[in-house]
Amino acid sequence: MNHTPTTFCPAYRAIGVLQEKWVLHIVRALLSGNRGFNELARLVGGCNSATLTQRLEQLELLGIISKATDAEVTGKLARSIYSLTTAGRELQGVINAIDAWGRAHLAEDPAGDLVAVDGCGGSEAAPVTVPLDLTPLTRV
């Protein structure tokens, strides 16, 4: 398939958005419910505050998440609450597909590193450096 810079390819564009570091981790954390910034940072794990803020702003501009102010906080600074939009919730299928692929093709070795399952990366599997929690999510 020949794509020129003026040709729109939805898959190419979607991969460009979703491949940004921490994006799918943020979406996965929000699939189970609305979260404040600090709670989201704990669930995502390993993402510094500046990067998390940048990714949240990017996802909000793209219409994947929405940000609201917690109006019930009185006498303190109001906190931001993040939630998935309809478009963001539709990523549940993407997360489920990644989960299924990970379960089929990755295994945890005794040291806690994830490695490719035999037949999925040659005889010498290289460790995957990104820690993944592969527990299934329930639909919100």
Side-chain angles (χ1 to χ4, degrees):
M1 187 179 287
N2 186 13
H3 291 284
T4 64
T6 58
T7 303
F8 175 70
C9 177
Y12 185 87
R13 181 129 187 240
I15 291 168
V17 169
L18 298 176
Q19 77 176 353
E20 289 289 330
K21 192 168 185 178
W22 305 111
V23 165
L24 288 174
H25 294 283
I26 293 166
V27 170
R28 185 178 189 279
L30 290 172
L31 281 168
S32 60
N34 302 345
R35 307 280 181 212
F37 185 88
N38 290 333
E39 183 181 13
L40 191 53
R42 280 189 301 276
L43 289 171
V44 169
C47 182
N48 68 53
S49 295
T51 301
L52 181 57
T53 298
Q54 181 184 42
R55 292 297 179 264
L56 291 169
E57 289 172 355
Q58 175 189 23
L59 292 171
E60 187 177 13
L61 285 172
L62 291 168
I64 295 171
I65 67 168
S66 62
K67 175 182 170 182
T69 302
D70 184 355
E72 296 179 10
V73 177
T74 57
K76 299 180 183 177
L77 289 175
R79 68 183 187 130
S80 296
I81 302 294
Y82 298 91
S83 61
L84 292 173
T85 62
T86 300
R89 286 188 301 278
E90 289 175 359
L91 288 168
Q92 176 77 57
V94 173
I95 300 293
N96 289 347
I98 292 170
D99 177 72
W101 184 90
R103 288 175 186 278
H105 301 288
L106 298 175
E108 191 170 340
D109 74 3
D113 294 324
L114 293 175
V115 295
V117 175
D118 290 343
C120 298
S123 58
E124 294 184 7
V128 177
T129 58
V130 179
L132 298 172
D133 176 9
L134 298 177
T135 53
L137 292 174
T138 56
R139 189 166 186 91
V140 178

